[in-house]
Each structure stands twice: as C-alpha cells, then as structure tokens.
Amino acid sequence: MEADNKKLALNIVSSKVNHKGFGAGAIDLSNVSGIIIDGDVAYLDEGTLHAKSKIEKGIKFSTNKDDVPNGRKAWIVWVAVDRTEEGAYYAGMSACEMLIDTEARKGWKILADHVNKMDAAMKRKFILDGLSDVEREALRKQLIAHNEEWWNRSAQDLKDALA
C-alpha cells in the first residue's frame, strides 16, 4: 500500500564529481523532469523522459496533425533544476505541444521539437510560448505545490512568464 502513496519528485542535480575521459560531454538528464499539462491540470510524470508518461501510453504518434482531428491539446513541460549555495531552484523550462485522442489511441507530436525544447531547458532557458492562461496557472500551481522554496529562489523571468 505504501508504494501507491509514493510522492513523485523532480530530479535534482547530483553531487557526483564530473570526470574527464570516457563519457565526458554526455548529456546528463539527472536534473531534468517532465510535467504534463492536460487541460487545467498539471502533474509531474516520471515517464516523460522515455515518452512513457501516463498520457502517452498506448498512443500511436504521427508527425501529421491531420491524423489527429479530434485530439485535445496537451503539453510536456521540461523542467531543469539547479542548485546554488542558497538551495535548489527551477532553472530552465520549456513547453512542447502534443495532440492526444485517447479514444482513437492516436496522437501528434514532433520528437525533434521535444528534444530541442528539453535541450533549451537544460541550457537554463524559459520557453513557454503557446501556453494558455489556464495552462500557465496550472503549471505555476504545480511548481509551487511541489516545492515553494524552489519557486521562491527561481528567476523573476519565470515568475513573470507564469503570472
């Protein structure tokens, strides 16, 4: 029963030492997580990094929007967390649009866009274009609910973008 109540957590930068040599320069995803926005609800989903989030499971994706005429708009928001001496904060964030038709088990997304937006979040950029006011509010509430201290230490640019 306790496993059902396990709280999901955003990944945070590990304290491991960066070594040079084999594997140097590899992408480290230990500080990136995904938040799903579906309508007016935002939630952390640990499956996003492997395209196995709750909303994506069982969906056959196309790169053609016309293949999903009855799809509802949903978003994956890539969230990068960083740490200063004061503590952790939301350092980068970018939103990627998807269309999901759960009944038809079809969806639309552009994988290259998701990869590029994840990279932008990891580079400490905020790209939240396209989010409606309702979606921005849901994301802001989720970020604060997850860790208000991280929110308080985050850049004013992010707070303004989600105001």
Side-chain angles (χ1 to χ4, degrees), residues 1-161:
M1 274 313 228
E2 289 180 31
D4 292 339
N5 295 330
K6 183 177 103 174
K7 184 178 179 192
L8 293 176
L10 284 165
N11 295 327
I12 187 153
V13 177
S14 64
S15 60
K16 66 184 175 193
V17 177
N18 289 332
H19 296 284
K20 296 188 174 161
F22 182 77
I27 296 174
D28 181 4
L29 297 175
S30 64
N31 65 337
V32 178
S33 293
I35 292 178
I36 299 290
I37 302 175
D38 190 1
D40 62 351
V41 176
Y43 58 92
L44 183 62
D45 191 318
E46 60 189 16
T48 55
L49 284 174
H50 303 286
K52 294 183 180 179
S53 65
K54 180 178 146 186
I55 198 170
E56 294 171 288
K57 283 185 181 175
I59 301 294
K60 172 100 170 121
F61 283 96
S62 169
T63 57
N64 183 355
K65 270 188 174 182
D66 295 336
D67 292 343
V68 193
N70 299 318
R72 71 183 187 281
K73 190 183 292 190
W75 299 84
I76 293 180
V77 179
W78 301 113
V79 179
V81 177
D82 208 343
R83 175 183 295 280
T84 64
E85 288 183 15
E86 291 81 36
Y89 66 99
Y90 300 117
M93 202 167 300
S94 58
C96 304
E97 183 181 358
M98 300 184 294
L99 293 178
I100 304 289
D101 184 341
T102 307
E103 193 173 302
R105 305 186 97 187
K106 292 181 179 181
W108 167 85
K109 69 179 177 180
I110 305 296
L111 184 58
D113 182 53
H114 285 245
V115 171
N116 290 335
K117 295 271 179 76
M118 181 190 294
D119 181 61
M122 292 171 62
K123 291 178 178 171
R124 310 307 185 245
K125 296 178 183 177
F126 297 110
I127 304 173
L128 301 169
D129 305 336
L131 292 177
S132 70
D133 290 343
V134 170
E135 293 160 339
R136 288 173 191 271
E137 175 71 9
L139 178 58
R140 185 178 64 76
K141 284 181 178 179
Q142 173 58 37
L143 294 169
I144 293 169
H146 181 74
N147 194 312
E148 191 167 0
E149 290 179 13
W150 292 5
W151 173 259
N152 292 337
R153 285 191 284 267
S154 296
Q156 190 61 44
D157 289 350
L158 172 62
K159 295 173 186 174
D160 291 344

